[in-house]
Amino acid sequence: MPDQSLVALLRVELAVEAERLREQIAKIDSGDGVLSFDENFADSGQVAAEQGENKVMVSKFREQLTEVEHALAKFEAGTYGQCERCGDRIGEARLEIMPATRYCINHA
Ligand SMILES: [Zn+2]
């Protein structure tokens, strides 16, 4: 594991990120998304396009959430900061930029 204070910080960041992603997903799923539209004026093609974009966004958020939750599980397991391919320590600079990464720089 890398430096404990950094690990603690990243764990908090990841927990906040997971919460943020869950909120985004819930918002879009409930139809109150960032790409909301006016039903009275939008034509059906535009509505369909925006709903399509929402779907793409939700699936991206879900993917990110999966990665973030996976990283959070690694804290529990005590394997956070280890490359899942070679088991080497992931560099701290890399973790700071991509706290949810599974792999070291050589296996990215
Ligand atoms: Zn590796």
Side-chain angles (χ1 to χ4, degrees):
M1 278 236 180
D3 178 67
Q4 287 306 306
S5 59
L6 176 65
V7 167
L9 181 74
L10 294 178
R11 187 174 190 163
V12 171
E13 273 182 28
L14 285 164
V16 169
E17 178 72 1
E19 196 49 44
R20 194 184 66 85
L21 287 166
R22 283 192 202 102
E23 276 173 20
Q24 294 285 335
I25 292 165
K27 250 192 208 173
I28 296 174
D29 274 351
S30 70
D32 184 25
V34 280
L35 295 174
S36 62
F37 48 84
D38 188 326
E39 286 171 42
N40 296 319
F41 293 100
D43 65 63
S44 60
Q46 190 186 346
V47 170
E50 288 184 354
Q51 284 171 341
E53 280 177 50
N54 280 352
K55 262 186 202 163
V56 170
M57 281 176 61
V58 164
S59 68
K60 267 188 199 151
F61 287 145
R62 288 220 169 93
E63 268 172 41
Q64 287 171 16
L65 184 58
T66 302
E67 291 304 302
V68 170
E69 285 178 337
H70 182 80
L72 286 168
K74 287 172 78 174
F75 286 101
E76 301 291 329
T79 59
Y80 182 74
Q82 278 176 23
C83 174
E84 291 182 19
R85 216 154 280 175
C86 66
D88 274 1
R89 266 173 67 153
I90 301 169
E92 289 179 9
R94 180 168 164 76
L95 287 174
E96 282 180 64
I97 301 165
M98 306 172 59
T101 188
R102 296 173 184 234
Y103 306 113
C104 73
I105 195 112
N106 294 323
H107 296 113

